[in-house]
Amino acid sequence: MQSIRNAVDHAERMVGIQISEVYVGISGNHIGLMSSHGVVAVSNEDREIGEEDMERVLKAAEVIAVPPEREIIDVVAKQYVVDGLEGIQDPRGMIGVRLEVEATIITGAKTAIHNLLRCVEKAGLKVSDLVLMSLGAGQLALSKDEKTMGSVLVDIGAGATTIAIFEEDSLVATSTLPIGGEFVTNDIAYGLRTLTDQAEKVKLKYGCAWLDDAAADVMFKVTRIGSNVDKEFSQEDLAAIIEPRVQEIFQMISQEVKRLGYNELPGGYILTGGTVSMPGFCRSLSMSLLLRYELQFRIILVCVTLGLQAESAYCTV
């Protein structure tokens, strides 16, 4: 709860307003996607489709059998159908008698959802709605062509990596891997035999994900555990620790995408998250993953948050 409060306080200082109501992002391996279909009759006498009709047809799509331990988080329309006419993205203003929707139902584990909401409420905030973080990141980081042709959005966070696959302008699969930037920090702490907070500072200042890009003459000192004497290391020493872990993350991402039933998508991989801004990251990705699978990739280094420029680490804030 204190972490939530600290994040809100930081956001309030950035935008200069008081925040009392929030949209809460959710992710994790408990998230599931289901296809659904809804049908309603157009309610207006003049048969013009309005906002109310769209809300009713999405509500109709929610009427599906959901296990008691799961809960519907959101309903996302893939396409609308007006009197048999398919492929409509926004039917408002059209004339028709029958409105249908092909939708994706996003569900999650009740326990995870309620615990998350409880933490936010205990932090003194009102929850407006839940938002799947993969959808939020996709809206920000992907172009319409990338979502339509098919692409893989990978958000490499601190403790987890979220994979979202988009195709035909819709989210079709999502998964979360329990590995991220914190694992790199832990590797540095073990490799240099230093404290975790020192390892994090060294990673942010001197980290390099590709050994050939590291400089042998860039030196730094850390205090080793069990000793009050600082020991000197080079950026090459640090890269030798970071590179294997980064490549392992790439391999796990590729294997998970294949497990989800996808291989080579035209849009390739779009990467975001704080870890991807590390020097040498592009080279390491190219050599360990792209040459093997001949994939394209794009790294989101800057995104827009609340009208401000921010690092990729905050792409879904």
Side-chain angles (χ1 to χ4, degrees):
M1 289 181 290
Q2 188 58 45
S3 297
I4 296 172
R5 192 65 257 172
N6 291 342
V8 172
D9 289 343
H10 182 65
E12 287 176 340
R13 289 194 297 270
M14 287 177 62
V15 298
I17 60 174
Q18 186 176 359
I19 298 172
S20 59
E21 198 168 336
V22 295
Y23 286 86
V24 179
I26 189 168
S27 63
N29 274 333
H30 65 97
I31 299 296
L33 306 179
M34 304 169 60
S35 294
S36 183
H37 182 256
V39 184
V40 296
V42 178
S43 58
N44 291 335
E45 291 184 1
D46 60 2
R47 297 187 301 159
E48 181 176 325
I49 298 170
E51 191 74 36
E52 182 185 347
D53 297 306
M54 294 176 64
E55 291 177 2
R56 287 194 301 115
V57 77
L58 288 174
K59 285 290 184 184
E62 286 187 30
V63 184
I64 59 172
V66 178
E69 71 277 6
R70 299 192 67 78
E71 188 172 304
I72 294 176
I73 296 172
D74 201 0
V75 182
V76 182
K78 291 190 285 189
Q79 68 162 347
Y80 292 91
V81 181
V82 179
D83 293 343
L85 181 62
E86 299 182 349
I88 300 168
Q89 297 300 315
D90 188 352
R92 282 173 293 190
M94 295 182 67
I95 302 299
V97 176
R98 176 186 173 97
L99 177 63
E100 303 173 59
V101 66
E102 299 291 339
T104 298
I105 308 292
I106 302 169
T107 66
K110 271 187 179 179
T111 301
I113 293 171
H114 291 178
N115 284 333
L116 175 62
L117 295 178
R118 184 66 173 157
C119 288
V120 176
E121 289 166 356
K122 280 192 172 184
L125 300 166
K126 181 181 177 182
V127 178
S128 294
D129 203 358
L130 277 174
V131 178
L132 182 63
M133 292 185 69
S134 301
L135 277 177
Q139 290 292 328
L140 180 62
L142 302 183
S143 68
K144 184 173 179 61
D145 285 343
E146 285 170 334
K147 287 189 287 186
T148 301
M149 295 171 61
S151 58
V152 182
L153 177 63
V154 181
D155 183 6
I156 304 178
T161 295
T162 302
I163 300 169
I165 299 175
F166 290 82
E167 203 170 37
E168 297 181 358
D169 205 24
S170 299
L171 178 68
V172 295
T174 183
S175 181
T176 300
L177 300 175
I179 190 169
E182 283 183 355
F183 287 73
V184 177
T185 302
N186 291 338
D187 289 346
I188 295 171
Y190 278 104
L192 303 184
R193 297 181 185 177
T194 188
L195 298 173
T196 304
D197 59 344
Q198 284 202 34
E200 179 68 16
K201 291 177 182 177
V202 166
K203 181 185 76 172
L204 294 176
K205 189 170 183 179
Y206 301 102
C208 183
W210 186 243
L211 185 58
D212 290 348
D213 287 350
D217 58 345
V218 175
M219 310 297 293
F220 61 90
K221 292 181 179 181
V222 296
T223 303
R224 310 192 84 185
I225 294 175
S227 171
N228 57 0
V229 179
D230 291 347
K231 182 169 182 180
E232 194 171 55
F233 295 94
S234 70
Q235 190 180 45
E236 280 190 344
D237 297 327
L238 192 60
I241 297 172
I242 296 174
E243 184 183 311
R245 177 65 79 177
V246 169
Q247 292 186 351
E248 180 192 17
I249 293 174
F250 295 154
Q251 297 307 317
M252 291 178 67
I253 291 169
S254 177
Q255 290 168 9
E256 184 64 11
V257 170
K258 282 189 172 183
R259 188 192 68 80
L260 292 171
Y262 297 87
N263 193 3
E264 295 185 14
L265 292 170
Y269 282 57
I270 294 87
L271 307 179
T272 187
T275 305
V276 306
S277 61
M278 183 184 297
F281 196 91
C282 296
R283 288 285 302 277
S284 188
L285 174 61
S286 299
M287 298 304 293
S288 67
L289 180 63
L290 302 182
L291 293 184
R292 184 172 302 177
Y293 298 104
E294 297 181 349
L295 298 171
Q296 297 179 354
F297 78 102
R298 178 163 64 88
I299 291 180
I300 307 295
L301 290 179
V302 176
C303 68
V304 177
T305 305
L306 298 175
L308 304 172
Q309 285 198 339
E311 294 180 3
S312 57
Y314 308 110
C315 201
T316 54
V317 172

